[in-house]
Structures are given as C-alpha cells and as structure tokens.
Amino acid sequence: MTDKITLVEVGPRDGLQNEKIQVQTHIKANFVNQLSQAGLGEIEVTSFVSPKWVPQLADAAELLELVEKSAGTHWVLVPNANGLDLALANSVSHIALFTAASSGFTQKNINMSVEESLVSFRDLVRVFREKCPQGRVRSYVSTIVECPFSGSVRPSDVASVVRELLEMGVDEVSLGETIGVATPQELLAVAEEVEKVAPKEKLAWHLHDTRGTAVAGVYELIKRGYRKFDSSAGGLGGCPYAPGAGGNVATEDLIYLTDRLGIPSGVSLLEVAQASLPVLESLGRRPTAKSQLAVLAACNLI
Ligand code: HMG
Ligand code: MG
C-alpha cells in the first residue's frame, strides 16, 4: 500500500446529476479543469446515460470536448451498450460501470437485476478491451450497507458482486455507500468480507455523507490500509434513484483529514474549495462543506 491517498473527484458527475437547475456546459468544464489544476489526478467528468433519466448530464459529449484532455484520468459513467458506444465515439478511455449489491436499487437505477447487470457488463468489458486496449474500467457496487428499496444488505452479497466484477476483468471496484447511513463498524464489516475476494489495492470507497458519518468511516478505512476514496468538491451530490441521499463526502474534508494525518493527497485544499463556487452560484447555493468554509474564511474569501 502506498502512503499517499488518492482521491477520485466525482463532483462533476455525482455532484451534479441530481440537480434540477441546468448548469451551463462551460461552467462544468471550468470546474473540471480547476479540479485538475488543484491536483486531482482522477476526475469523473460525466455520464453517458439516458438524457430523459438524467437531464443534467445530457451535455456529456460537448463537455468532454471542452475539458483539458491531458490533465490526468477522466472517468465517464457507462450503464449499457448504448452508453459504451457513445463513450467510445467520444474517445473516452476510462469507463465506470455501475451496479449494486441489492436488486431493488439496480432495478430502479439501470432497469436491470444485479444478475442481468453482471451478464451485460461481461460483454461491455470484452468489447471495451477490444476497442480500447489501453483503457481502464472501474465499477461501482452501490448499496453496500443498505438499499433504499430492499433494506439491509449482507456484506457477503457485496463480496460476491465484487468477486464477479474482478473475475470479468474490471480494474478496480468502488464500494458505494449510496445513502449515507453506515457507521464505521458497518463499513469495516463490509471490508472484512470483501477482503476475502479482493486485494485492497483494487478497491476504492464511495461514501455519501447524508448523516455526517462519512469522514469517521474514511478514517477507520485508512487505518485498515485503504488509500483510495471518492469524494465531491463542496460535498455536492446525491443520486436520483436514492431518495433523500445527500452528497458525497466533501473533497475538502478528506484533503484536510489526510493532510493532518500525514498521508497527503497532493491536492490543494484552497483551490478545490474555490473550484465549486461558480457551480454553487449557478445553483443558487452557498457553500456548506465544513473544510471548504473554513479555508475560504481563513483566506477572507467569504
Ligand atoms: P432503459 O429505459 O431500460 O433503456 O434505461 P432502453 O435500452 O430500453 O432504452 C430506452 C431509451 O433510452 C432509448 O431511447 C435508448 O436509445 C435510450 P428512445 O428510443 O426512447 O428515444 N438509451 C440511452 N440514451 C443515452 N445513453 C444511454 C442510453 N441507453 C438507452 N446509455 C438506462 C436504461 C440505463 C439507459 C437508464 O436506466 C438510465 O439512463 N439510468 C440512469 C442511471 C443513472 O445515471 N443513475 C445515477 C448514477 S448511479 C449513482 O449515482 C450511484 C453511484 O454514485 C455509486 C453510489 O453512490 O453508490 C455510481
Ligand atoms: Mg454516488
């Protein structure tokens, strides 16, 4: 395990997908480019999903034209063959598939059962490898602790989906605590099962912070040896298919935590804190993420 933390910034995708007010494409592009400049080497930029289901991300192709291509790894969410065709047509070389450990959520989210999604992903991974041999594939497994539709999820169910994804050749799996209910103990119970089928290096954690427990979870996972976490600038976010789910853990809060722990992420806290301001302004919101507010106040910027 490296002694550096890697943060995967998901604000431009997860942070915005649930927003009803349309953010202009050039504002999203500046957001992505500023996040790169702040030192975030991996950013999930957008999704190729149905524009009827997620209108906010209907500008995926135009956005990809505007973002700095050489600025690191740009992930794009892909749900099906249609999405993969669009991703390849737009020269995307880092795709993120997404399924869940519970069928209730998978059905609402991508209109498939978990089993159907895994059958479909097998084909998607094969086609992607043929067409883009230098590319990388990550996959989310959502609802790792609780599903808003099917209730509690067993850690062993999470582990069996992770095992199948790795067997089909996915490079890394991001474990999604989609609705932000988990205590650190519950996350550790998931870790214990998943470690039976996957090395820590192939896992990332994607914690929504609906109830303010995500940083505590990240701290325990760091102590257990994990080094890769998804987060969202300004704590933006939520999922259209997880009612009431809050945003991802704020990137600023993880930069602050890991810097102070002496396992730096190499990302500028101040620059990330500033990057989401124009997006928040478009949405008619003020910043609310704790470490974002603290650093902006310390620099007399709010
Ligand atoms: P469907 O209705 O089953 O798809 O939707 P379909 O194949 O029957 O096609 C229906 C229509 O959608 C057709 O168009 C297709 O062409 C079109 P029509 O003939 O009606 O004009 N279509 C597409 N258009 C653009 N891109 C595509 C695509 N596929 C079909 N890829 C589908 C299936 C997956 C498309 C739909 O369910 C969908 O888009 N869902 C959105 C899912 C989504 O974005 N959810 C949020 C992200 S997941 C998340 O937030 C969780 C995560 O953060 C982790 C965590 O927090 O746990 C990742
Ligand atoms: Mg999410």
mmCIF file with all atom_site columns, all heavy atoms in Angstrom, residues 177 179-184 207-218 246-250 253 290:
data_model
loop_
_atom_site.group_PDB
_atom_site.id
_atom_site.type_symbol
_atom_site.label_atom_id
_atom_site.label_alt_id
_atom_site.label_comp_id
_atom_site.label_asym_id
_atom_site.label_entity_id
_atom_site.label_seq_id
_atom_site.pdbx_PDB_ins_code
_atom_site.Cartn_x
_atom_site.Cartn_y
_atom_site.Cartn_z
_atom_site.occupancy
_atom_site.B_iso_or_equiv
_atom_site.pdbx_formal_charge
_atom_site.auth_seq_id
_atom_site.auth_comp_id
_atom_site.auth_asym_id
_atom_site.auth_atom_id
_atom_site.pdbx_PDB_model_num
ATOM 1   N N   . GLU A 1 177 ? -21.497 3.511  -0.611 1.00 0.00 ? 177 GLU A N   1
ATOM 2   C CA  . GLU A 1 177 ? -22.480 3.606  0.484  1.00 0.00 ? 177 GLU A CA  1
ATOM 3   C C   . GLU A 1 177 ? -23.410 4.728  0.048  1.00 0.00 ? 177 GLU A C   1
ATOM 4   O O   . GLU A 1 177 ? -23.234 5.897  0.389  1.00 0.00 ? 177 GLU A O   1
ATOM 5   C CB  . GLU A 1 177 ? -21.750 3.905  1.804  1.00 0.00 ? 177 GLU A CB  1
ATOM 6   C CG  . GLU A 1 177 ? -22.479 3.308  3.005  1.00 0.00 ? 177 GLU A CG  1
ATOM 7   C CD  . GLU A 1 177 ? -23.673 4.139  3.456  1.00 0.00 ? 177 GLU A CD  1
ATOM 8   O OE1 . GLU A 1 177 ? -24.791 3.948  2.901  1.00 0.00 ? 177 GLU A OE1 1
ATOM 9   O OE2 . GLU A 1 177 ? -23.504 4.960  4.380  1.00 0.00 ? 177 GLU A OE2 1
ATOM 10  N N   . ILE A 1 179 ? -26.522 5.808  0.367  1.00 0.00 ? 179 ILE A N   1
ATOM 11  C CA  . ILE A 1 179 ? -27.487 6.670  1.052  1.00 0.00 ? 179 ILE A CA  1
ATOM 12  C C   . ILE A 1 179 ? -26.939 7.260  2.352  1.00 0.00 ? 179 ILE A C   1
ATOM 13  O O   . ILE A 1 179 ? -27.648 7.960  3.066  1.00 0.00 ? 179 ILE A O   1
ATOM 14  C CB  . ILE A 1 179 ? -28.835 5.935  1.290  1.00 0.00 ? 179 ILE A CB  1
ATOM 15  C CG1 . ILE A 1 179 ? -28.627 4.598  2.008  1.00 0.00 ? 179 ILE A CG1 1
ATOM 16  C CG2 . ILE A 1 179 ? -29.542 5.725  -0.044 1.00 0.00 ? 179 ILE A CG2 1
ATOM 17  C CD1 . ILE A 1 179 ? -29.947 3.882  2.338  1.00 0.00 ? 179 ILE A CD1 1
ATOM 18  N N   . GLY A 1 180 ? -25.674 6.970  2.664  1.00 0.00 ? 180 GLY A N   1
ATOM 19  C CA  . GLY A 1 180 ? -25.042 7.631  3.809  1.00 0.00 ? 180 GLY A CA  1
ATOM 20  C C   . GLY A 1 180 ? -25.656 7.273  5.142  1.00 0.00 ? 180 GLY A C   1
ATOM 21  O O   . GLY A 1 180 ? -25.944 8.156  5.957  1.00 0.00 ? 180 GLY A O   1
ATOM 22  N N   . VAL A 1 181 ? -25.846 5.966  5.377  1.00 0.00 ? 181 VAL A N   1
ATOM 23  C CA  . VAL A 1 181 ? -26.392 5.521  6.662  1.00 0.00 ? 181 VAL A CA  1
ATOM 24  C C   . VAL A 1 181 ? -25.356 4.834  7.552  1.00 0.00 ? 181 VAL A C   1
ATOM 25  O O   . VAL A 1 181 ? -25.596 4.639  8.740  1.00 0.00 ? 181 VAL A O   1
ATOM 26  C CB  . VAL A 1 181 ? -27.555 4.495  6.483  1.00 0.00 ? 181 VAL A CB  1
ATOM 27  C CG1 . VAL A 1 181 ? -28.795 5.169  5.930  1.00 0.00 ? 181 VAL A CG1 1
ATOM 28  C CG2 . VAL A 1 181 ? -27.131 3.317  5.614  1.00 0.00 ? 181 VAL A CG2 1
ATOM 29  N N   . ALA A 1 182 ? -24.217 4.445  6.984  1.00 0.00 ? 182 ALA A N   1
ATOM 30  C CA  . ALA A 1 182 ? -23.344 3.475  7.668  1.00 0.00 ? 182 ALA A CA  1
ATOM 31  C C   . ALA A 1 182 ? -22.520 4.086  8.790  1.00 0.00 ? 182 ALA A C   1
ATOM 32  O O   . ALA A 1 182 ? -21.992 5.199  8.676  1.00 0.00 ? 182 ALA A O   1
ATOM 33  C CB  . ALA A 1 182 ? -22.394 2.845  6.661  1.00 0.00 ? 182 ALA A CB  1
ATOM 34  N N   . THR A 1 183 ? -22.374 3.323  9.864  1.00 0.00 ? 183 THR A N   1
ATOM 35  C CA  . THR A 1 183 ? -21.381 3.644  10.881 1.00 0.00 ? 183 THR A CA  1
ATOM 36  C C   . THR A 1 183 ? -20.043 3.061  10.411 1.00 0.00 ? 183 THR A C   1
ATOM 37  O O   . THR A 1 183 ? -20.023 2.168  9.554  1.00 0.00 ? 183 THR A O   1
ATOM 38  C CB  . THR A 1 183 ? -21.730 2.956  12.213 1.00 0.00 ? 183 THR A CB  1
ATOM 39  O OG1 . THR A 1 183 ? -21.707 1.539  11.992 1.00 0.00 ? 183 THR A OG1 1
ATOM 40  C CG2 . THR A 1 183 ? -23.090 3.394  12.729 1.00 0.00 ? 183 THR A CG2 1
ATOM 41  N N   . PRO A 1 184 ? -18.934 3.528  10.996 1.00 0.00 ? 184 PRO A N   1
ATOM 42  C CA  . PRO A 1 184 ? -17.644 2.935  10.635 1.00 0.00 ? 184 PRO A CA  1
ATOM 43  C C   . PRO A 1 184 ? -17.639 1.418  10.833 1.00 0.00 ? 184 PRO A C   1
ATOM 44  O O   . PRO A 1 184 ? -17.079 0.691  10.018 1.00 0.00 ? 184 PRO A O   1
ATOM 45  C CB  . PRO A 1 184 ? -16.659 3.635  11.582 1.00 0.00 ? 184 PRO A CB  1
ATOM 46  C CG  . PRO A 1 184 ? -17.291 4.964  11.841 1.00 0.00 ? 184 PRO A CG  1
ATOM 47  C CD  . PRO A 1 184 ? -18.769 4.714  11.865 1.00 0.00 ? 184 PRO A CD  1
ATOM 48  N N   . LEU A 1 207 ? -18.347 7.129  -0.325 1.00 0.00 ? 207 LEU A N   1
ATOM 49  C CA  . LEU A 1 207 ? -19.263 7.300  0.804  1.00 0.00 ? 207 LEU A CA  1
ATOM 50  C C   . LEU A 1 207 ? -20.072 8.590  0.655  1.00 0.00 ? 207 LEU A C   1
ATOM 51  O O   . LEU A 1 207 ? -19.498 9.682  0.534  1.00 0.00 ? 207 LEU A O   1
ATOM 52  C CB  . LEU A 1 207 ? -18.485 7.342  2.119  1.00 0.00 ? 207 LEU A CB  1
ATOM 53  C CG  . LEU A 1 207 ? -17.523 6.164  2.372  1.00 0.00 ? 207 LEU A CG  1
ATOM 54  C CD1 . LEU A 1 207 ? -16.852 6.317  3.740  1.00 0.00 ? 207 LEU A CD1 1
ATOM 55  C CD2 . LEU A 1 207 ? -18.228 4.817  2.271  1.00 0.00 ? 207 LEU A CD2 1
ATOM 56  N N   . HIS A 1 208 ? -21.384 8.438  0.673  1.00 0.00 ? 208 HIS A N   1
ATOM 57  C CA  . HIS A 1 208 ? -22.240 9.629  0.738  1.00 0.00 ? 208 HIS A CA  1
ATOM 58  C C   . HIS A 1 208 ? -22.336 10.051 2.206  1.00 0.00 ? 208 HIS A C   1
ATOM 59  O O   . HIS A 1 208 ? -22.226 9.238  3.118  1.00 0.00 ? 208 HIS A O   1
ATOM 60  C CB  . HIS A 1 208 ? -23.607 9.332  0.114  1.00 0.00 ? 208 HIS A CB  1
ATOM 61  C CG  . HIS A 1 208 ? -23.542 9.340  -1.384 1.00 0.00 ? 208 HIS A CG  1
ATOM 62  N ND1 . HIS A 1 208 ? -23.944 10.410 -2.140 1.00 0.00 ? 208 HIS A ND1 1
ATOM 63  C CD2 . HIS A 1 208 ? -23.060 8.421  -2.258 1.00 0.00 ? 208 HIS A CD2 1
ATOM 64  C CE1 . HIS A 1 208 ? -23.735 10.147 -3.423 1.00 0.00 ? 208 HIS A CE1 1
ATOM 65  N NE2 . HIS A 1 208 ? -23.199 8.942  -3.530 1.00 0.00 ? 208 HIS A NE2 1
ATOM 66  N N   . ASP A 1 209 ? -22.499 11.362 2.397  1.00 0.00 ? 209 ASP A N   1
ATOM 67  C CA  . ASP A 1 209 ? -22.357 11.907 3.757  1.00 0.00 ? 209 ASP A CA  1
ATOM 68  C C   . ASP A 1 209 ? -23.675 12.460 4.284  1.00 0.00 ? 209 ASP A C   1
ATOM 69  O O   . ASP A 1 209 ? -23.698 13.475 4.992  1.00 0.00 ? 209 ASP A O   1
ATOM 70  C CB  . ASP A 1 209 ? -21.278 13.008 3.735  1.00 0.00 ? 209 ASP A CB  1
ATOM 71  C CG  . ASP A 1 209 ? -20.749 13.304 5.130  1.00 0.00 ? 209 ASP A CG  1
ATOM 72  O OD1 . ASP A 1 209 ? -20.833 12.421 6.002  1.00 0.00 ? 209 ASP A OD1 1
ATOM 73  O OD2 . ASP A 1 209 ? -20.267 14.432 5.339  1.00 0.00 ? 209 ASP A OD2 1
ATOM 74  N N   . THR A 1 210 ? -24.746 11.769 3.991  1.00 0.00 ? 210 THR A N   1
ATOM 75  C CA  . THR A 1 210 ? -26.089 12.257 4.329  1.00 0.00 ? 210 THR A CA  1
ATOM 76  C C   . THR A 1 210 ? -26.231 12.609 5.806  1.00 0.00 ? 210 THR A C   1
ATOM 77  O O   . THR A 1 210 ? -26.883 13.581 6.161  1.00 0.00 ? 210 THR A O   1
ATOM 78  C CB  . THR A 1 210 ? -27.123 11.159 3.963  1.00 0.00 ? 210 THR A CB  1
ATOM 79  O OG1 . THR A 1 210 ? -26.783 10.651 2.673  1.00 0.00 ? 210 THR A OG1 1
ATOM 80  C CG2 . THR A 1 210 ? -28.535 11.696 3.962  1.00 0.00 ? 210 THR A CG2 1
ATOM 81  N N   . ARG A 1 211 ? -25.609 11.798 6.672  1.00 0.00 ? 211 ARG A N   1
ATOM 82  C CA  . ARG A 1 211 ? -25.780 11.997 8.124  1.00 0.00 ? 211 ARG A CA  1
ATOM 83  C C   . ARG A 1 211 ? -24.485 12.415 8.826  1.00 0.00 ? 211 ARG A C   1
ATOM 84  O O   . ARG A 1 211 ? -24.369 12.315 10.049 1.00 0.00 ? 211 ARG A O   1
ATOM 85  C CB  . ARG A 1 211 ? -26.336 10.709 8.748  1.00 0.00 ? 211 ARG A CB  1
ATOM 86  C CG  . ARG A 1 211 ? -27.744 10.429 8.292  1.00 0.00 ? 211 ARG A CG  1
ATOM 87  C CD  . ARG A 1 211 ? -28.183 9.017  8.579  1.00 0.00 ? 211 ARG A CD  1
ATOM 88  N NE  . ARG A 1 211 ? -29.546 8.784  8.096  1.00 0.00 ? 211 ARG A NE  1
ATOM 89  C CZ  . ARG A 1 211 ? -29.862 8.514  6.828  1.00 0.00 ? 211 ARG A CZ  1
ATOM 90  N NH1 . ARG A 1 211 ? -28.910 8.443  5.908  1.00 0.00 ? 211 ARG A NH1 1
ATOM 91  N NH2 . ARG A 1 211 ? -31.109 8.333  6.478  1.00 0.00 ? 211 ARG A NH2 1
ATOM 92  N N   . GLY A 1 212 ? -23.495 12.828 8.043  1.00 0.00 ? 212 GLY A N   1
ATOM 93  C CA  . GLY A 1 212 ? -22.255 13.334 8.649  1.00 0.00 ? 212 GLY A CA  1
ATOM 94  C C   . GLY A 1 212 ? -21.341 12.253 9.210  1.00 0.00 ? 212 GLY A C   1
ATOM 95  O O   . GLY A 1 212 ? -20.462 12.551 10.024 1.00 0.00 ? 212 GLY A O   1
ATOM 96  N N   . THR A 1 213 ? -21.502 11.000 8.755  1.00 0.00 ? 213 THR A N   1
ATOM 97  C CA  . THR A 1 213 ? -20.673 9.911  9.301  1.00 0.00 ? 213 THR A CA  1
ATOM 98  C C   . THR A 1 213 ? -19.521 9.516  8.373  1.00 0.00 ? 213 THR A C   1
ATOM 99  O O   . THR A 1 213 ? -18.703 8.662  8.731  1.00 0.00 ? 213 THR A O   1
ATOM 100 C CB  . THR A 1 213 ? -21.527 8.648  9.534  1.00 0.00 ? 213 THR A CB  1
ATOM 101 O OG1 . THR A 1 213 ? -22.206 8.351  8.312  1.00 0.00 ? 213 THR A OG1 1
ATOM 102 C CG2 . THR A 1 213 ? -22.556 8.842  10.638 1.00 0.00 ? 213 THR A CG2 1
ATOM 103 N N   . ALA A 1 214 ? -19.465 10.114 7.184  1.00 0.00 ? 214 ALA A N   1
ATOM 104 C CA  . ALA A 1 214 ? -18.524 9.599  6.172  1.00 0.00 ? 214 ALA A CA  1
ATOM 105 C C   . ALA A 1 214 ? -17.057 9.780  6.571  1.00 0.00 ? 214 ALA A C   1
ATOM 106 O O   . ALA A 1 214 ? -16.237 8.877  6.351  1.00 0.00 ? 214 ALA A O   1
ATOM 107 C CB  . ALA A 1 214 ? -18.798 10.264 4.830  1.00 0.00 ? 214 ALA A CB  1
ATOM 108 N N   . VAL A 1 215 ? -16.703 10.930 7.154  1.00 0.00 ? 215 VAL A N   1
ATOM 109 C CA  . VAL A 1 215 ? -15.284 11.149 7.496  1.00 0.00 ? 215 VAL A CA  1
ATOM 110 C C   . VAL A 1 215 ? -14.827 10.128 8.544  1.00 0.00 ? 215 VAL A C   1
ATOM 111 O O   . VAL A 1 215 ? -13.704 9.601  8.474  1.00 0.00 ? 215 VAL A O   1
ATOM 112 C CB  . VAL A 1 215 ? -15.045 12.599 7.979  1.00 0.00 ? 215 VAL A CB  1
ATOM 113 C CG1 . VAL A 1 215 ? -13.634 12.768 8.529  1.00 0.00 ? 215 VAL A CG1 1
ATOM 114 C CG2 . VAL A 1 215 ? -15.258 13.582 6.830  1.00 0.00 ? 215 VAL A CG2 1
ATOM 115 N N   . ALA A 1 216 ? -15.722 9.819  9.494  1.00 0.00 ? 216 ALA A N   1
ATOM 116 C CA  . ALA A 1 216 ? -15.372 8.807  10.508 1.00 0.00 ? 216 ALA A CA  1
ATOM 117 C C   . ALA A 1 216 ? -15.117 7.458  9.829  1.00 0.00 ? 216 ALA A C   1
ATOM 118 O O   . ALA A 1 216 ? -14.183 6.725  10.182 1.00 0.00 ? 216 ALA A O   1
ATOM 119 C CB  . ALA A 1 216 ? -16.505 8.681  11.533 1.00 0.00 ? 216 ALA A CB  1
ATOM 120 N N   . GLY A 1 217 ? -15.933 7.142  8.821  1.00 0.00 ? 217 GLY A N   1
ATOM 121 C CA  . GLY A 1 217 ? -15.741 5.886  8.084  1.00 0.00 ? 217 GLY A CA  1
ATOM 122 C C   . GLY A 1 217 ? -14.422 5.887  7.337  1.00 0.00 ? 217 GLY A C   1
ATOM 123 O O   . GLY A 1 217 ? -13.663 4.902  7.366  1.00 0.00 ? 217 GLY A O   1
ATOM 124 N N   . VAL A 1 218 ? -14.121 6.988  6.656  1.00 0.00 ? 218 VAL A N   1
ATOM 125 C CA  . VAL A 1 218 ? -12.857 7.074  5.899  1.00 0.00 ? 218 VAL A CA  1
ATOM 126 C C   . VAL A 1 218 ? -11.668 6.889  6.846  1.00 0.00 ? 218 VAL A C   1
ATOM 127 O O   . VAL A 1 218 ? -10.715 6.162  6.534  1.00 0.00 ? 218 VAL A O   1
ATOM 128 C CB  . VAL A 1 218 ? -12.760 8.424  5.147  1.00 0.00 ? 218 VAL A CB  1
ATOM 129 C CG1 . VAL A 1 218 ? -11.356 8.642  4.590  1.00 0.00 ? 218 VAL A CG1 1
ATOM 130 C CG2 . VAL A 1 218 ? -13.796 8.493  4.031  1.00 0.00 ? 218 VAL A CG2 1
ATOM 131 N N   . GLY A 1 246 ? -27.789 12.285 0.502  1.00 0.00 ? 246 GLY A N   1
ATOM 132 C CA  . GLY A 1 246 ? -27.036 13.528 0.456  1.00 0.00 ? 246 GLY A CA  1
ATOM 133 C C   . GLY A 1 246 ? -25.832 13.387 -0.459 1.00 0.00 ? 246 GLY A C   1
ATOM 134 O O   . GLY A 1 246 ? -25.630 12.346 -1.100 1.00 0.00 ? 246 GLY A O   1
ATOM 135 N N   . GLY A 1 247 ? -25.019 14.444 -0.477 1.00 0.00 ? 247 GLY A N   1
ATOM 136 C CA  . GLY A 1 247 ? -23.852 14.456 -1.353 1.00 0.00 ? 247 GLY A CA  1
ATOM 137 C C   . GLY A 1 247 ? -22.765 13.500 -0.884 1.00 0.00 ? 247 GLY A C   1
ATOM 138 O O   . GLY A 1 247 ? -22.836 12.921 0.195  1.00 0.00 ? 247 GLY A O   1
ATOM 139 N N   . ASN A 1 248 ? -21.747 13.360 -1.727 1.00 0.00 ? 248 ASN A N   1
ATOM 140 C CA  . ASN A 1 248 ? -20.577 12.572 -1.345 1.00 0.00 ? 248 ASN A CA  1
ATOM 141 C C   . ASN A 1 248 ? -19.822 13.299 -0.249 1.00 0.00 ? 248 ASN A C   1
ATOM 142 O O   . ASN A 1 248 ? -19.947 14.513 -0.097 1.00 0.00 ? 248 ASN A O   1
ATOM 143 C CB  . ASN A 1 248 ? -19.628 12.433 -2.547 1.00 0.00 ? 248 ASN A CB  1
ATOM 144 C CG  . ASN A 1 248 ? -20.237 11.610 -3.648 1.00 0.00 ? 248 ASN A CG  1
ATOM 145 O OD1 . ASN A 1 248 ? -20.872 12.144 -4.545 1.00 0.00 ? 248 ASN A OD1 1
ATOM 146 N ND2 . ASN A 1 248 ? -20.069 10.324 -3.563 1.00 0.00 ? 248 ASN A ND2 1
ATOM 147 N N   . VAL A 1 249 ? -18.996 12.548 0.468  1.00 0.00 ? 249 VAL A N   1
ATOM 148 C CA  . VAL A 1 249 ? -18.112 13.194 1.430  1.00 0.00 ? 249 VAL A CA  1
ATOM 149 C C   . VAL A 1 249 ? -17.341 14.292 0.679  1.00 0.00 ? 249 VAL A C   1
ATOM 150 O O   . VAL A 1 249 ? -16.931 14.105 -0.474 1.00 0.00 ? 249 VAL A O   1
ATOM 151 C CB  . VAL A 1 249 ? -17.173 12.144 2.086  1.00 0.00 ? 249 VAL A CB  1
ATOM 152 C CG1 . VAL A 1 249 ? -16.237 11.499 1.086  1.00 0.00 ? 249 VAL A CG1 1
ATOM 153 C CG2 . VAL A 1 249 ? -16.386 12.764 3.221  1.00 0.00 ? 249 VAL A CG2 1
ATOM 154 N N   . ALA A 1 250 ? -17.188 15.452 1.315  1.00 0.00 ? 250 ALA A N   1
ATOM 155 C CA  . ALA A 1 250 ? -16.570 16.586 0.622  1.00 0.00 ? 250 ALA A CA  1
ATOM 156 C C   . ALA A 1 250 ? -15.075 16.338 0.405  1.00 0.00 ? 250 ALA A C   1
ATOM 157 O O   . ALA A 1 250 ? -14.365 15.913 1.320  1.00 0.00 ? 250 ALA A O   1
ATOM 158 C CB  . ALA A 1 250 ? -16.762 17.864 1.433  1.00 0.00 ? 250 ALA A CB  1
ATOM 159 N N   . ASP A 1 253 ? -12.974 18.022 2.966  1.00 0.00 ? 253 ASP A N   1
ATOM 160 C CA  . ASP A 1 253 ? -12.866 17.372 4.282  1.00 0.00 ? 253 ASP A CA  1
ATOM 161 C C   . ASP A 1 253 ? -11.827 16.248 4.240  1.00 0.00 ? 253 ASP A C   1
ATOM 162 O O   . ASP A 1 253 ? -11.103 16.032 5.220  1.00 0.00 ? 253 ASP A O   1
ATOM 163 C CB  . ASP A 1 253 ? -14.231 16.815 4.727  1.00 0.00 ? 253 ASP A CB  1
ATOM 164 C CG  . ASP A 1 253 ? -15.207 17.922 5.127  1.00 0.00 ? 253 ASP A CG  1
ATOM 165 O OD1 . ASP A 1 253 ? -14.752 19.058 5.383  1.00 0.00 ? 253 ASP A OD1 1
ATOM 166 O OD2 . ASP A 1 253 ? -16.417 17.660 5.168  1.00 0.00 ? 253 ASP A OD2 1
ATOM 167 N N   . LYS A 1 290 ? -17.734 21.707 5.467  1.00 0.00 ? 290 LYS A N   1
ATOM 168 C CA  . LYS A 1 290 ? -17.056 22.312 6.622  1.00 0.00 ? 290 LYS A CA  1
ATOM 169 C C   . LYS A 1 290 ? -15.643 22.810 6.301  1.00 0.00 ? 290 LYS A C   1
ATOM 170 O O   . LYS A 1 290 ? -15.307 23.962 6.558  1.00 0.00 ? 290 LYS A O   1
ATOM 171 C CB  . LYS A 1 290 ? -17.006 21.296 7.766  1.00 0.00 ? 290 LYS A CB  1
ATOM 172 C CG  . LYS A 1 290 ? -18.372 21.048 8.395  1.00 0.00 ? 290 LYS A CG  1
ATOM 173 C CD  . LYS A 1 290 ? -18.223 20.229 9.664  1.00 0.00 ? 290 LYS A CD  1
ATOM 174 C CE  . LYS A 1 290 ? -19.506 20.186 10.464 1.00 0.00 ? 290 LYS A CE  1
ATOM 175 N NZ  . LYS A 1 290 ? -20.654 19.660 9.708  1.00 0.00 ? 290 LYS A NZ  1
#
